[in-house]
Amino acid sequence: MEVPRPLAAPLAVVPIPLIEGAVKLMFKSLLKRHPTLFERLGEHKPKRYAFRPTDLALVFLVEPARPAISVLRRAADPSTDAAVEGPLFLLLALLEGRCDADALFFSRALTVTGDMEAMLALRNALDGSDIDLPRDLGAATGPFAPLISRTAAAIRRRALAGETVAWN
């Protein structure tokens, strides 16, 4: 499932610092719950990884060595060592290790470019990290955790309901 156009369109005009601020808060929260996430990258830790949602006009640049995340407009696509492109909800499902990345790649639902070894190392690190976005994001919201977790889980269920990829 792609992000519906009425929800994606406003992101084209929202200032990047606002989007990036929210993304950085989520990233920081995720790293707090999974502090060793990038340790399994080994020699690939200094590399730069781009995530390009095909349904948004944004690019997410992850630099594990710092660790940092940046958000850019797609037109300002940065130079990276490895990149993956696909619908946002599939990229998030990959983050959680919920989808078979190989099946998505060979079905052309995802496009991977650049250093394949680096991308494979990142995939392996993510697969072993037990990330659950609804749970992890909810945990960062204090008393709102149950509401945020349930809402995020419902969105994930709906977004991935029609996907025909194999689940791990």
Side-chain angles (χ1 to χ4, degrees), residues 9 39 60 72 94 121 134 152:
E39 296 310 311
F60 301 90
L72 302 107
L94 287 173

Side-chain angles (χ1 to χ4, degrees), residues 25-81:
L25 281 174
M26 289 185 270
F27 186 72
K28 182 179 177 182
S29 173
L30 192 68
L31 290 180
K32 186 176 181 180
R33 290 189 55 89
H34 305 278
T36 61
L37 175 63
F38 295 131
E39 296 310 311
R40 292 183 60 195
L41 290 175
E43 68 184 79
H44 301 290
K45 189 174 179 181
K47 307 232 170 130
R48 295 165 38 110
Y49 299 85
F51 299 88
R52 299 181 183 117
T54 54
D55 45 358
L56 298 179
L58 301 172
V59 175
F60 301 90
L61 177 65
V62 176
E63 298 177 80
R66 290 181 44 200
I69 190 167
S70 305
V71 180
L72 302 107
R73 298 275 178 218
R74 188 172 276 275
D77 200 6
S79 155
T80 60
D81 296 291

Side-chain angles (χ1 to χ4, degrees), residues 5 11 14-15 41 43 64 69 74 78 80 98 115 117 122 141:
R5 234 183 238 301
L11 291 177
V14 172
L41 290 175
E43 68 184 79
I69 190 167
R74 188 172 276 275
T80 60
R98 291 188 169 274
D115 186 337
E117 283 186 41
L122 180 60
T141 61

